[in-house]
Amino acid sequence: MSQGEKKYIQTTLSESFTRTDEKKRKHCEEDVDQLGTESSSMERSRDSNGGAKALKPGPSANDERKGFPGSRGGASRDKPLNSNIEESDNGRTKSSTHSSSSSAFDDKRRDLDDYHGDSSKNYDDDHFEDEHGSKTDPDLDDDGDNAGIMTMQPTSKPAKTYWKGEPIKDLRYAPDCFKDEAPIEWRASHETKVMFEIPQSEPPTPYPREYFEQSHLDKSNFVFMPCSPASEIPCPQTPGKIVRRWKVIESSLHQDLPGSFELQDAILSYNFHYRKKWDFENFHSYFKKCSPNERTDFFNTVLPKMQRLALQLPSLCTQPLPMLKRNQNRKLVISQQQAACLLANAFFCTFPGRNFRQRGVIPDINFSSLFNGPSCSRKIEKLKCIFHYFKRITEKMPTGVLSFNRRTLDNTLWLKDSVDFTKMHVSCDGTIEDDGRGMLQADFANKYVGGGVLGRGCVQEEIRFMICPEMILSRLFTEVLEDRDILIMKGCERFSNYAGYSDSFKWNGNHVDTTERDCLGRLWTEVVAMDAVRVKRTDNQFAEHMVNRELHKAFCAFVDPEHNDNLPAVCTGNWGCGAFGGDKHLKALIQMIAASHAKREMCYFTFGDNSLCDEIAKINYVLCSEGLSTVDVLNKIREFRHQELLGNKKSLFKFIVTEFGLGWKDV
């Protein structure tokens, strides 16, 4: 590179960036120095199958020492590769790829020129709310319902578990508890939308066979698809010209994308009004830290397959998906292949107007929040989960089925019925996803399903969505949950293991899901998203309206209108007791009451809290041995509220036991 070229870039940098952009300016100046000393180049081409293939010459020893990424910006230029990151076992080549120095200089000049581009206009409904507004939203970026309650890694268990109550093996499980029932089949109706042909094949055939969309589609009732004829954006090359969004997406994703910066350019080509907002810092950081084999495998093998998968959207998802709207009973059924295609489009940020929470009712689905912002270990580990999912499904596409069932509770008279408490297993060891197999598994959800899964959130719900990425898709079509709404996700496959929690969360390798499938092709994995109320004042949660709200939510989550008897147990824990401020005794009793009315047994994990395990087992023993009903306990909860206002300092459990003439220590 000539001194004139270097001076041009440095002069442009000094004029373009403010003091607040000092970090970015320094990074770009280091890029210039790297380009000036680069001594080798690499050409890349597509093979006959459309995959990317690295051609010689290979990287120099100096390139390997500096961690050159195989493209501009794909790995660290000023630091060696992180030696703590193990090389991928599936690395296909040992060499990383390079761009020529002249091409890299042209790219850098173009990036600097683009920095001055106009981003004042927003299209495709992206103007509802600034995407960065959600970063400080406590509903999306806090540590969720269970913050601070883990004392051990969730996936690690002691040799001898600590439990009370019924043995876990004696609880009811699916599919055994349904073995005497007649097989069911899909029936499309006003409440059930099936996205493939019935009877289904393997893999299911999309319905209809070709993409069809009604004119003047109501975007409030249907997902606005990237391939919709109505989705248009200004042409990036011709100011003032409007083009179909899908044409730009096809053009961008048909290109060879040898590195993270090229992928960034492709995504911004149809999201160009975010060029000044999206820095892809976390995304680039991931590839700076990963091993050369892992990086090469992703850009040479996995990413090209993901591109082809995303571009199959008009042939795999041949009609707009219906929205699962508030206060309505609706079910959406899709194949795992269709889910993979939709998630690939979310990865490439193709969905119009879905980079932030829309109108306060629809969560974001594009992965831009996961790519952008300062790098942190949580988001890096999440990317590992996502990349592993795409590696798995592009090697062998799953052929099963997923169902997403939004249910709302109309009947509120159930609370007046008096029923006995069902049996219960309580343990301080174990997790819902590992030990609740065959049970209805609770997702301690945010009202925006998935919570901070695409941001910094990393507790029970976000972790579950990351190890089962098909659950992330629920954010595409599920409106905010209201007080009597829940979402049941059935058939979502688990692809990853993990260790840790919150800041200690780590992707921990591949997981082979051996769960049986039902006659419709769904795994017998049923997860219910149930959001708790956020408690601002501790005493307020015992008020009758607050207790009733949580009771209705839990009952709606646990009841099954299609099967009244012999239901599998519900597997749950400290719902709403972390950052949401819920009282553990109250939330345990609420779930026990709801499960008893829904005719389900309960498996309750206290996540390392031995004393809570003892207390819940003790109160359950008292309620069952004394023959107390759910109405009796509800009356005592109401009395506890009045006693608390008068200065009562007892815990809820102790208050109930003593009110029935027993001593807490004598139980």
Side-chain angles (χ1 to χ4, degrees):
M1 178 187 295
S2 69
Q3 292 298 321
E5 290 173 333
K6 292 177 65 175
K7 184 175 180 181
Y8 165 78
I9 294 180
Q10 291 168 342
T11 302
T12 308
L13 284 167
S14 63
E15 293 174 351
S16 302
F17 295 90
T18 64
R19 293 181 179 179
T20 58
D21 296 320
E22 181 67 23
K23 182 179 178 181
K24 188 173 181 180
R25 182 190 62 78
K26 182 178 179 181
H27 176 73
C28 290
E29 286 184 340
E30 290 170 352
D31 289 352
V32 175
D33 292 335
Q34 172 66 27
L35 292 171
T37 58
E38 184 181 38
S39 59
S40 63
S41 63
M42 173 64 73
E43 294 180 353
R44 307 182 75 253
S45 65
R46 293 277 185 184
D47 60 20
S48 59
N49 294 323
K53 177 173 66 176
L55 303 177
K56 61 183 182 181
S60 66
N62 187 51
D63 291 333
E64 291 290 350
R65 179 180 63 80
K66 293 186 177 182
F68 196 81
S71 68
R72 54 188 180 87
S76 175
R77 293 173 169 80
D78 51 0
K79 294 183 181 179
L81 291 171
N82 189 340
S83 60
N84 294 325
I85 306 297
E86 296 181 357
E87 289 192 0
S88 170
D89 293 336
N90 298 310
R92 303 301 173 88
T93 62
K94 294 185 178 180
S95 63
S96 58
T97 56
H98 289 240
S99 301
S100 69
S101 54
S102 61
S103 173
F105 170 74
D106 292 338
D107 288 339
K108 184 61 62 177
R109 183 193 293 265
R110 187 188 72 229
D111 281 354
L112 293 171
D113 291 339
D114 285 344
Y115 186 82
H116 300 284
D118 178 20
S119 63
S120 60
K121 295 182 179 180
N122 293 338
Y123 298 87
D124 284 333
D125 297 328
D126 279 340
H127 62 277
F128 280 111
E129 179 183 341
D130 181 23
E131 52 143 3
H132 296 288
S134 63
K135 290 189 175 181
T136 57
D137 190 334
D139 283 336
L140 300 182
D141 278 333
D142 64 15
D143 272 339
D145 288 352
N146 299 310
I149 66 172
M150 283 288 185
T151 58
M152 58 183 286
Q153 292 184 350
T155 51
S156 65
K157 296 181 67 175
K160 186 176 181 180
T161 59
Y162 184 86
W163 62 273
K164 295 290 183 73
E166 295 288 331
I168 193 170
K169 64 181 178 60
D170 291 345
L171 301 180
R172 290 194 296 266
Y173 294 85
D176 292 344
C177 57
F178 295 125
K179 62 183 178 181
D180 296 330
E181 296 191 8
I184 59 174
E185 60 183 25
W186 294 122
R187 289 185 177 89
S189 66
H190 173 70
E191 291 188 354
T192 302
K193 181 67 174 180
V194 182
M195 296 291 291
F196 48 80
E197 293 182 352
I198 304 173
Q200 66 197 61
S201 56
E202 189 175 314
T205 302
Y207 178 82
R209 294 291 180 95
E210 296 181 355
Y211 188 82
F212 173 76
E213 179 178 311
Q214 294 179 347
S215 58
H216 307 295
L217 184 73
D218 184 357
K219 289 188 288 184
S220 66
N221 291 318
F222 294 89
V223 173
F224 194 26
M225 302 290 280
C227 55
S228 168
S231 181
E232 298 178 329
I233 59 174
C235 179
Q237 291 80 23
T238 309
K241 182 180 179 181
I242 303 297
V243 295
R244 282 189 58 186
R245 182 185 184 90
W246 190 245
K247 292 295 184 183
V248 181
I249 292 171
E250 285 183 315
S251 176
S252 299
L253 297 187
H254 271 130
Q255 298 180 45
D256 182 20
L257 303 176
S260 62
F261 273 71
E262 284 77 9
L263 180 55
Q264 174 182 350
D265 287 345
I267 292 174
L268 289 175
S269 67
Y270 44 86
N271 292 287
F272 69 93
H273 44 288
Y274 286 116
R275 295 187 75 91
K276 291 184 179 180
K277 296 180 180 179
W278 293 358
D279 55 22
F280 284 73
E281 184 176 342
N282 187 66
F283 189 72
H284 297 318
S285 178
Y286 174 88
F287 290 104
K288 291 178 183 179
K289 296 177 180 179
C290 71
S291 69
N293 280 358
E294 185 179 358
R295 185 172 55 248
T296 301
D297 182 49
F298 179 77
F299 286 108
N300 285 12
T301 306
V302 179
L303 185 63
K305 294 179 181 178
M306 290 173 59
Q307 292 170 242
R308 292 194 291 272
L309 176 62
L311 292 175
Q312 292 181 58
L313 182 66
S315 59
L316 286 178
C317 301
T318 53
Q319 57 181 314
L321 283 70
M323 295 296 298
L324 303 184
K325 297 183 71 64
R326 293 169 289 174
N327 302 315
Q328 293 183 13
N329 292 304
R330 296 293 298 273
K331 180 184 289 186
L332 176 63
V333 185
I334 62 175
S335 69
Q336 286 187 275
Q337 185 181 25
Q338 289 171 323
C341 177
L342 291 165
L343 284 172
N345 275 273
F347 177 89
F348 291 114
C349 305
T350 67
F351 287 100
R354 297 300 300 275
N355 298 305
F356 51 84
R357 196 170 68 205
Q358 260 194 33
R359 297 184 291 272
V361 297
I362 308 174
D364 59 319
I365 184 61
N366 288 335
F367 283 23
S368 53
S369 297
L370 192 58
F371 299 156
N372 296 320
S375 177
C376 69
S377 62
R378 297 183 185 189
K379 295 169 76 172
I380 291 292
E381 297 301 318
K382 288 181 180 183
L383 285 175
K384 291 180 182 179
C385 295
I386 295 298
F387 292 155
H388 177 70
Y389 164 75
F390 282 117
K391 182 176 179 63
R392 280 273 306 272
I393 60 101
T394 53
E395 288 177 347
K396 183 179 181 181
M397 182 63 69
T399 59
V401 172
L402 314 172
S403 66
F404 299 86
N405 183 12
R406 184 175 189 133
R407 197 161 62 208
T408 187
L409 180 68
D410 296 324
N411 177 24
T412 60
L413 300 178
W414 65 273
L415 273 176
K416 297 181 179 180
D417 297 332
S418 181
V419 301
D420 295 331
F421 284 90
T422 53
K423 61 184 181 180
M424 185 176 190
H425 171 88
V426 192
S427 176
C428 65
D429 305 313
T431 61
I432 294 172
E433 64 273 10
D434 289 325
D435 300 277
R437 183 168 175 169
M439 304 182 193
L440 175 65
Q441 301 173 11
D443 163 24
F444 305 150
N446 190 283
K447 63 182 179 180
Y448 297 95
V449 178
V453 63
L454 299 180
R456 294 184 64 255
C458 198
V459 285
Q460 195 255 12
E461 179 175 45
E462 289 87 355
I463 290 173
R464 187 62 191 268
F465 276 50
M466 276 295 152
I467 64 176
C468 306
E470 290 161 336
M471 293 184 183
I472 299 175
L473 194 62
S474 62
R475 298 169 64 85
L476 176 63
F477 42 74
T478 306
E479 288 189 352
V480 60
L481 298 178
E482 296 287 0
D483 285 346
R484 296 178 183 176
D485 291 346
I486 55 92
L487 178 71
I488 298 176
M489 299 168 280
K490 189 168 184 178
C492 295
E493 186 172 349
R494 180 174 173 181
F495 290 86
S496 295
N497 290 319
Y498 75 99
Y501 196 79
S502 190
D503 284 334
S504 64
F505 170 74
K506 300 289 182 184
W507 178 77
N508 201 30
N510 182 51
H511 180 89
V512 178
D513 198 330
T514 58
T515 308
E516 296 179 57
R517 293 187 183 271
D518 64 13
C519 60
L520 300 175
R522 300 174 299 181
L523 295 175
W524 279 105
T525 300
E526 193 171 21
V527 179
V528 57
M530 45 189 289
D531 60 303
V533 69
R534 186 183 291 272
V535 178
K536 296 181 179 179
R537 287 183 52 186
T538 304
D539 57 330
N540 282 351
Q541 64 187 302
F542 294 96
E544 186 170 1
H545 72 280
M546 295 279 279
V547 173
N548 287 345
R549 189 272 184 194
E550 301 294 72
L551 282 166
H552 291 314
K553 177 71 71 169
F555 178 69
C556 185
F558 299 162
V559 73
D560 187 344
E562 298 176 1
H563 306 89
N564 293 323
D565 298 306
N566 209 34
L567 294 171
V570 58
C571 188
T572 186
N574 302 327
W575 173 51
C577 297
F580 279 22
D583 181 270
K584 294 179 182 179
H585 288 185
L586 176 63
K587 289 298 172 66
L589 278 177
I590 284 174
Q591 293 183 87
M592 290 164 62
I593 293 171
S596 299
H597 277 274
K599 301 180 181 180
R600 290 187 190 267
E601 300 161 340
M602 179 176 285
C603 176
Y604 195 106
F605 291 117
T606 62
F607 306 111
D609 192 334
N610 287 27
S611 61
L612 180 63
C613 178
D614 291 337
E615 291 168 353
I616 294 176
K618 185 180 290 189
I619 193 69
N620 181 254
Y621 172 79
V622 170
L623 299 178
C624 293
S625 62
E626 295 296 320
L628 301 175
S629 70
T630 55
V631 171
D632 295 330
V633 174
L634 276 175
N635 289 334
K636 293 305 175 185
I637 292 175
R638 296 187 184 100
E639 291 179 21
F640 178 80
R641 161 69 170 170
H642 297 302
Q643 291 296 320
E644 188 181 47
L645 294 176
L646 295 176
N648 170 52
K649 299 300 181 182
K650 291 181 181 179
S651 70
L652 178 59
F653 285 175
K654 290 182 180 180
F655 174 81
I656 290 175
V657 170
T658 54
E659 281 294 300
F660 286 113
L662 301 173
W664 179 253
K665 293 183 179 180
D666 299 330
V667 177

